[in-house]
Amino acid sequence: MFITFEGPEGSGKTTQIRLLAAWLENRGFGVVTTREPGGTRIGNGIRALLLDIDHTEMTPRTETLLFNAARAQIVHEVIRPSLKAGQIVLCDRFADSTLAYQGYGYGQNREELARLIGYATGGLVPDLTIYLDVQPEVGLARKQAGSSQEWNRLDAQTVAFHRAVQAGYTALIQAEPDRWAVIRSESPAEDVHRAVVELVASRLPAQVEEAL
Ligand code: TYD
């Protein structure tokens, strides 16, 4: 089972993935957690290029290609082999981030992006995508209050950009309501975790759910 987490900056994806992984592991599931961009040696090299706050000259097309280059590597090296081995894969961001940020945020052609994503992933689509819903201003404030090392080139975009990204996510969710689940993420992490667990438990195969 392939589960991805999406949401604006500071929506708590990393914390929720950690909590969900522990919950699943405690119940005997094999879990692999990973993140985009990154998750592999090559992907981490690409991540450094992408998020460097000094790379102000990077064009949206270069950015799009780099995100998808890192994606091709993580799908090949981590995600497909783990799914094949029967593990539950939890990924912090995936292809929907490209559609939301590069598509709706930077106005890149979404049909071209969809083709590029198909090329990078070989057509791999998540079974479930959890959108952690916070207002962009709240998320950015949370992130800015954290370590400055986490503050990256995309965070430094305008609030209008982050609003466009949020509108993009709304459109993506409406287009594929069966794949997406929206969880409000402004409450304490434990409350959000409970909602995530309830959702994931209901999506696990029936025989597994009975054993819980
Ligand atoms: P990261 O520090 O991992 O942020 P977050 O904790 O919010 O996931 O930085 C990833 C940044 O890259 C984030 O601003 C979203 C952006 N991004 C894209 O623009 N396109 C993509 O395809 C992906 C995967 C991420």
Side-chain angles (χ1 to χ4, degrees):
M1 188 179 193
F2 180 29
I3 304 177
T4 59
F5 282 70
E6 297 283 347
E9 325 299 320
S11 55
K13 294 184 276 63
T14 313
T15 306
Q16 291 305 324
I17 288 175
R18 184 170 46 74
L19 294 171
L20 177 61
W23 186 88
L24 288 166
E25 277 162 1
N26 284 338
R27 280 153 189 81
F29 292 102
V31 181
V32 171
T33 64
T34 188
R35 72 161 174 191
E36 279 205 4
T40 63
R41 190 158 62 107
I42 289 170
N44 283 329
I46 296 172
R47 179 182 175 88
L49 277 175
L50 274 166
L51 300 185
D52 191 327
I53 201 106
D54 292 332
H55 288 175
T56 49
E57 74 275 34
M58 191 179 291
T59 74
R61 282 176 191 261
T62 304
E63 183 179 282
T64 300
L65 289 166
L66 287 174
F67 276 119
N68 279 282
R71 180 164 300 136
Q73 194 66 29
I74 203 178
V75 166
H76 171 80
E77 223 183 278
V78 180
I79 301 176
R80 279 196 194 274
S82 305
L83 292 173
K84 207 166 169 200
Q87 298 195 285
I88 297 180
V89 177
L90 307 179
C91 193
D92 192 339
R93 297 197 182 280
F94 193 60
D96 296 303
S97 284
T98 292
L99 294 169
Y101 282 78
Q102 281 65 51
Y104 289 89
Y106 285 123
Q108 298 290 288
N109 182 295
R110 294 198 291 278
E111 280 169 21
E112 285 179 350
L113 291 181
R115 278 200 297 278
L116 181 62
I117 288 167
Y119 178 72
T121 61
L124 181 68
V125 176
D127 299 299
L128 172 65
T129 300
I130 299 176
Y131 183 74
L132 295 181
D133 191 13
V134 299
Q135 290 306 307
E137 291 86 347
V138 174
L140 286 167
R142 274 185 190 172
K143 197 164 178 184
Q144 213 160 10
S147 112
S148 63
Q149 278 183 344
E150 284 180 17
W151 191 249
N152 66 50
R153 195 172 53 81
L154 283 125
D155 298 330
Q157 274 289 341
T158 61
V159 169
F161 172 82
H162 289 287
R163 284 239 167 269
V165 169
Q166 184 189 33
Y169 275 124
T170 304
L172 293 170
I173 293 163
Q174 279 169 359
E176 270 184 285
D178 292 345
R179 173 165 68 86
W180 287 85
V182 177
I183 293 184
R184 297 275 307 145
S185 190
E186 275 167 26
S187 36
E190 306 82 67
D191 297 351
V192 179
H193 174 56
R194 262 195 296 281
V196 169
V197 159
E198 202 174 306
L199 169 73
V200 170
S202 76
R203 298 292 181 101
L204 292 168
Q207 67 276 25
V208 174
E209 213 181 324
E210 276 163 27
L212 290 176

